[in-house]
Amino acid sequence: GAGVSQSPSNKVTEKGKDVELRCDPISGHTALYWYRQSLGQGLEFLIYFQGNSAPDKSGLPSDRFSAERTGGSVSTLTIQRTQQEDSAVYLCASSSRGGGAGTQYFGPGTRLLVL
Amino acid sequence: KQEVTQIPAALSVPEGENLVLNCSFTDSAIYNLQWFRQDPGKGLTSLLLIQSSQREQTSGRLNASLDKSSGRSTLYIAASQPGDSATYLCAVTNSGYALNFGKGTSLLVTP
């Protein structure tokens, strides 16, 4: 079956612009995660969705970042007024089991470059 | 705050060698530990998941062990091949659900 897909695969934007990144999880997976991979910083958790529960936004670095998940499936991560330090690879993962219990399957990521 | 460390940061071995990658974590109250592989410009591929109650998991030429009390895990790769060249990431989940990642070991297997 299809894995986790993300779009766009690459995004170049100017400082100050808003961007939207999309994630399509594996069908039937109730848990969805966003991570960010920056040079020298490793992978860091951003936000977690589980079913219809309120998301855990504890990893979002600032209020310029927001995410939503519609219909318990597709998720969109929005970065407003982008800054150069937002440049990173944004990875989405999904899991059939919530609470961190199951294997997380990752998408190929969106490479964001803010000029 | 959970800290995950991977040693070595980079490793180069000739084809056919057996090798061990190390991962340590500061908070032993983990839920599970996962090893991933990342190829350049690609996402992460899950290799092995070890639940906190388990000691090891095996998949083909890969074997991962977990010593929760000492905060350590190892990934053993038998009979390495050039196709094994990639970055290997260790990640743990505590009482929450987010993965806490190490910075990875970059492996190069030369023909």
Side-chain angles (χ1 to χ4, degrees):
Chain A
V4 178
S5 61
Q6 293 186 244
S7 61
S9 55
N10 292 282
K11 177 72 177 178
V12 180
T13 190
E14 294 178 349
K15 178 181 172 181
K17 300 278 186 161
D18 298 351
V19 295
E20 283 190 353
L21 313 179
R22 177 188 168 105
C23 171
D24 282 90
I26 293 172
S27 178
H29 279 193
T30 58
L32 187 148
Y33 309 78
W34 282 97
Y35 294 86
R36 177 169 73 173
Q37 187 172 31
S38 307
L39 273 175
Q41 296 295 320
L43 270 146
E44 56 179 334
F45 163 76
L46 296 177
I47 188 169
Y48 162 65
F49 295 90
Q50 172 58 43
N52 295 320
S53 301
D56 181 336
K57 307 178 183 180
S58 60
L60 294 178
S62 78
D63 59 7
R64 296 186 295 104
F65 288 72
S66 63
E68 62 177 20
R69 189 178 185 191
T70 54
S73 180
V74 171
S75 177
T76 302
L77 176 68
T78 301
I79 308 173
Q80 296 178 309
R81 305 181 303 281
T82 52
Q83 303 294 313
Q84 289 181 332
E85 61 262 28
D86 299 334
S87 296
V89 178
Y90 290 82
L91 291 160
C92 174
S94 71
S95 175
S96 61
R97 296 172 64 189
T103 298
Q104 294 186 26
Y105 297 91
F106 281 76
T110 293
R111 284 150 191 79
L112 174 65
L113 177 61
V114 181
L115 301 176
Chain B
K1 180 177 181 278
Q2 177 74 273
E3 299 287 342
V4 181
T5 303
Q6 291 187 246
I7 295 173
L11 180 63
S12 180
V13 300
E15 180 177 8
E17 276 204 4
N18 303 324
L19 58 101
V20 174
L21 308 181
N22 297 291
C23 173
S24 61
F25 44 94
T26 54
D27 183 351
S28 62
I30 65 168
Y31 200 72
N32 58 41
L33 181 145
Q34 205 165 341
W35 282 94
F36 293 89
R37 166 187 174 135
Q38 185 172 32
D39 293 280
K42 302 287 180 63
L44 277 65
T45 301
S46 177
L47 298 174
L48 291 163
L49 171 72
I50 310 177
Q51 301 291 352
S52 62
S53 58
Q54 298 175 320
R55 297 283 294 183
E56 66 176 341
Q57 283 286 338
T58 297
S59 176
R61 294 182 293 108
L62 305 179
N63 176 278
S65 68
L66 173 63
D67 184 341
K68 199 173 75 163
S69 60
S70 68
R72 294 180 183 177
S73 175
T74 61
L75 178 66
Y76 175 83
I77 303 177
S80 57
Q81 303 171 358
D84 295 331
S85 299
T87 296
Y88 290 80
L89 293 158
C90 167
V92 299
T93 305
N94 286 87
S95 57
Y97 28 72
L99 288 167
N100 292 285
F101 284 88
K103 294 194 175 180
T105 293
S106 178
L107 173 65
L108 176 64
V109 181
T110 56

